């Protein structure tokens, strides 16, 4: 085949990425199908560049969206760029010449203090990382621990919490909380690469992964090298973290310990406090000496299931009855966010406020609906409506406006003048009977479309 024919074929590989046409077999693509040629030559990079695999990776990158990397290219611009340049990109990948660009650094505040460092790769690098992750997942997934739930197909945080509940129901009265300090920033590259090499024998793939790990970070226009860690933000990092921590999972299973792990967040369940302290010491030694990682001692320890916070949840436990509940810190963050969205100084229309609030409430309840204790729901829903009443009252700044609007909503003139001219604050008036008459609960739920919890 001539160079011109090869280029046309490679362009054709990505010529339909912008369309909705889908090959039914692409979802069940098995990466190992092309892992070796009949002569035994390793061809894993060919599996990564295989058309179905790349189409599947493109769909996932477009679903994920996200900000551009340092080159400024958006997800929407990627298909057009590939139609023009894919032949060269694929040739570089197959020859082991592809070099990713440095990631863009972004800092996110953690809810409990501190900063989480994200590395945002270019959209092209995200595509290649996703394609690589899909192939490596096919190789590693079947051997991961049954008690590892993070970033794995068909698994979720809810399954992790249900497994925790089963441990508590079986009589485990103490929880060992294990927090790995800045895990994603401190993964040892040499240990990770040696672990990958036990199953990945295509040196081009190993070289590509090493380059992704060491591509550097762009901070304030200056490039800094990365000598350790797998920066959060790329599609490959979650899988690499599971490969690193699979060694810990195997050790815990070998010891016969009850544990649950979601990414770098793990808990162990034991019968007594003494056993928990012993397990804490031995596991810390293993993490430090074998994995070359650090355990954050201030966030790790032995506690009761009812006090422990894992993935936002906790447990209530009585004789013969264990229930999943939302941890108090999660509820506190929820209330803080609702206060931000309904702050009376925002200067937005009530329709805009409710639209933003609905988006947050749907997402929050979609996750925390796993809770089995719901007696608090009516009071929280009532509190949200009170904040919206106070927001509306604050918008009517002049007493005469308040009197007129109350009368328009069925309040008598006498009571409207009395309430409208009061010096009481908006929050106090939000539970006033005549203000509630003007804005009953159904006004927010039926007229304005407020979505309540539950």
């Amino acid at each position: 085949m001539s160079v011109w024919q090869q280029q046309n074929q490679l362009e054709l590989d990505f010529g339909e990425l912008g369309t909705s046409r889908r090959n039914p077999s692409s979802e069940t693509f098995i990466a190992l199908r092309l892992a070796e040629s009949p002569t035994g030559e390793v061809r894993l990079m060919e599996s990564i560049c295989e058309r179905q695999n790349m189409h599947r990776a493109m769909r996932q990158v477009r679903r994920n969206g996200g900000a551009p990397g340092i080159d400024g290219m958006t997800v929407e611009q990627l298909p057009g760029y590939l139609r023009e340049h894919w032949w060269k990109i694929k040739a570089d990948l197959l020859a082991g010449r592809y070099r990713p660009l440095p990631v863009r650094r972004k800092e996110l505040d953690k809810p409990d203090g501190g900063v989480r460092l994200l590395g945002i790769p270019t959209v092209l690098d995200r595509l290649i990382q996703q394609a690589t992750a899909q192939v490596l997942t096919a190789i590693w997934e079947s051997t991961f621990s049954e008690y590892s739930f993070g970033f794995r197909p068909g698994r979720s945080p809810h399954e992790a919490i249900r497994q925790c509940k089963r441990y508590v129901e079986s009589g485990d009265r103490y929880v060992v909380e294990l927090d790995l300090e800045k895990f994603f920033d401190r993964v040892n590259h040499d240990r990770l690469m040696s672990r990958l090499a036990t199953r990945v024998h295509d040196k081009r793939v190993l070289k590509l992964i090493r380059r992704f790990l060491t591509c550097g970070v762009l901070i304030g226009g200056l490039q800094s090298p990365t000598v350790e860690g797998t920066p959060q933000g790329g599609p490959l990092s979650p899988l690499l973290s599971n490969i690193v921590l699979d060694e810990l999972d195997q050790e815990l299973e070998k010891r016969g310990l009850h544990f649950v792990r979601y990414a770098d967040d793990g808990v162990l369940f034991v019968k007594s406090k003494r056993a928990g302290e012993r397990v804490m010491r031995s596991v810390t030694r293993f993490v430090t000496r074998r994995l070359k990682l650090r355990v954050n001692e201030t966030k790790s320890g032995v506690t009761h299931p009812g006090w422990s916070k894992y993935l936002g949840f906790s447990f209530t436990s009585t004789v013969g009855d264990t229930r999943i509940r939302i941890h108090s810190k999660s509820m506190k963050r929820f209330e803080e966010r609702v206060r931000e969205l309904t702050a009376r100084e925002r200067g937005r229309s009530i329709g805009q406020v409710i639209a933003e609030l609905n988006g947050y409430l749907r997402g929050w309840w979609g996750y925390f609906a796993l809770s089995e204790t719901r007696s608090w729901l009516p009071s929280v829903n009532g509190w949200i409506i009170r904040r919206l009443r106070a927001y509306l009252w604050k918008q009517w700044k002049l007493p005469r406006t308040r009197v007129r609007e109350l009368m328009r909503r069925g309040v008598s003139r006498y009571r409207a003048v009395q309430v409208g001219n009061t010096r009481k604050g908006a929050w106090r008036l939000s539970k006033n009977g005549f203000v509630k008459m003007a804005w009953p609960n159904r006004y927010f739920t039926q007229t304005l479309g407020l979505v309540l919890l539950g």
Side-chain angles (χ1 to χ4, degrees):
M1 184 182 293
S2 69
V3 173
W4 180 83
Q5 289 173 319
Q6 289 178 1
Q7 178 173 337
N8 279 353
Q9 179 60 44
L10 291 169
E11 289 178 351
L12 179 63
D13 285 350
F14 275 90
E16 298 176 356
L17 275 180
T19 70
S20 60
R21 188 176 301 171
R22 179 178 298 186
N23 188 324
S25 63
S26 65
E27 296 299 337
T28 57
F29 169 71
I30 304 299
L32 297 181
R33 179 167 62 85
L34 298 176
E36 292 187 0
S37 68
T39 61
E41 178 189 358
V42 177
R43 293 173 58 82
L44 200 61
M45 185 61 82
E46 280 74 8
S47 297
I48 291 171
C49 295
E50 203 267 349
R51 183 176 181 177
Q52 292 179 7
N53 189 51
M54 294 303 300
H55 273 253
R56 191 173 146 215
M58 172 62 82
R59 287 196 298 272
Q60 188 60 49
V61 168
R62 297 179 83 171
R63 275 196 297 267
N64 291 342
I70 64 170
D71 62 352
M73 186 189 301
T74 65
V75 173
E76 291 74 22
Q77 294 170 328
L78 182 59
Y81 179 83
L82 289 171
R83 279 191 286 271
E84 185 175 350
H85 298 284
W86 174 239
W87 65 273
K88 183 179 185 307
I89 296 166
K90 183 174 181 179
D92 286 345
L93 286 168
L94 296 177
R97 295 190 303 261
Y98 184 84
R99 291 187 176 275
L101 292 175
V103 300
R104 182 166 64 87
R105 172 61 53 84
K106 184 175 182 180
E107 296 183 352
L108 296 179
D109 294 331
K110 292 184 178 180
D112 54 352
V115 174
R116 175 179 287 109
L117 301 178
L118 289 184
I120 303 176
T122 65
V123 290
L124 175 60
D125 287 340
R126 295 209 292 269
L127 174 71
I128 295 169
Q129 284 194 35
Q130 179 64 38
T132 305
Q134 289 168 182
V135 171
L136 294 183
T137 297
I139 297 173
W140 288 85
E141 172 62 27
S142 62
T143 61
F144 283 149
S145 170
E146 179 186 352
Y147 306 106
S148 166
F149 296 88
F151 308 120
R152 295 181 60 190
R155 290 179 168 244
S156 68
H158 289 176
E159 289 185 90
I161 293 300
R162 291 189 187 102
Q163 181 60 47
C164 292
K165 179 183 176 180
R166 286 192 283 271
Y167 287 143
V168 177
E169 288 176 330
S170 71
D172 290 341
R173 298 174 54 211
Y174 287 85
V175 180
V176 180
E177 298 177 326
L178 191 68
D179 184 274
L180 300 180
E181 186 175 351
K182 296 183 179 179
F183 167 74
F184 285 93
D185 300 325
R186 289 185 172 155
V187 169
N188 184 282
H189 288 175
D190 292 335
R191 280 195 56 81
L192 171 57
M193 294 308 301
S194 64
R195 186 124 177 108
L196 282 169
T198 60
R199 299 187 194 177
V200 177
H201 306 299
D202 190 329
K203 292 184 179 179
R204 296 169 299 175
V205 176
L206 293 173
K207 186 186 294 185
L208 176 66
I209 295 172
R210 171 75 79 167
R211 285 174 176 167
F212 275 124
L213 292 172
T214 60
C215 65
V217 178
L218 199 67
I219 307 174
L222 299 176
Q223 182 176 342
S224 300
T226 47
V227 295
E228 62 178 359
T230 60
Q232 297 181 72
L236 194 55
S237 291
L239 174 63
L240 295 181
S241 70
N242 275 335
I243 292 173
V244 170
L245 293 175
D246 183 56
E247 194 172 353
L248 174 61
D249 296 342
Q250 291 181 12
E251 178 68 17
L252 298 178
E253 287 187 355
K254 187 170 69 176
R255 298 183 187 186
L257 295 171
H258 291 174
F259 74 95
V260 168
R261 183 175 65 80
Y262 191 92
D264 61 327
D265 199 353
V267 285
L268 299 91
F269 292 81
V270 294
K271 302 293 184 184
S272 68
K273 186 175 183 179
R274 179 176 294 182
E277 291 169 347
R278 183 175 65 250
V279 166
M280 184 74 200
R281 288 192 298 269
S282 63
V283 172
T284 299
R285 280 197 302 270
F286 179 85
V287 168
T288 304
R289 297 176 183 177
R290 182 73 68 85
L291 302 184
K292 309 299 182 186
L293 297 169
R294 297 181 191 174
V295 173
N296 188 336
E297 295 183 1
T298 60
K299 295 183 178 180
S300 303
V302 183
T303 185
H304 288 284
W307 299 341
S308 173
K309 175 178 174 288
Y310 188 59
L311 302 178
F313 291 95
S314 187
F315 302 91
T316 60
S317 186
T318 57
V319 179
D321 185 25
T322 299
R323 295 187 182 186
I324 301 168
R325 68 178 179 90
I326 303 172
H327 195 274
S328 58
K329 289 184 178 179
S330 300
M331 287 302 305
K332 183 178 179 181
R333 285 201 294 271
F334 167 80
E335 291 169 1
E336 288 172 352
R337 181 58 179 153
V338 171
R339 284 192 178 96
E340 290 175 6
L341 293 172
T342 58
R344 293 185 283 280
E345 299 79 19
R346 294 192 71 199
R348 298 196 177 194
S349 70
I350 189 64
Q352 291 175 311
V353 170
I354 287 181
E356 292 180 18
L357 188 59
N358 281 347
Y360 176 69
L361 293 177
R362 285 192 185 99
W364 190 88
W365 186 243
Y367 180 79
F368 284 105
L370 182 67
S371 172
E372 296 171 334
T373 59
R374 302 190 176 188
S375 58
W376 50 271
L377 277 172
S379 62
V380 170
N381 284 331
W383 173 73
I384 292 171
I385 289 177
R386 271 196 71 185
R387 290 199 60 82
L388 292 173
R389 281 199 190 99
Y391 190 91
L392 283 172
W393 185 261
K394 188 73 173 181
Q395 288 186 329
W396 295 345
K397 295 183 179 180
L398 299 176
R400 64 173 178 271
T401 304
R402 294 172 176 173
V403 172
R404 183 179 68 247
E405 293 296 335
L406 286 171
M407 290 176 61
R408 195 163 67 87
R409 286 165 171 77
V411 179
S412 68
R413 179 179 181 81
Y414 174 77
R415 293 300 185 185
V417 170
Q418 192 178 42
V419 174
N421 286 282
T422 185
R423 294 185 178 182
K424 294 177 182 177
W427 177 246
R428 189 171 176 182
L429 281 170
S430 64
K431 66 175 182 179
N432 178 276
F434 297 103
V435 175
K436 291 170 71 175
M437 181 191 302
W439 294 307
N441 291 359
R442 64 177 180 275
Y443 172 77
F444 296 97
T445 57
Q446 297 177 14
T447 306
L448 299 181
L450 174 67
V451 175
L452 295 176
L453 301 178

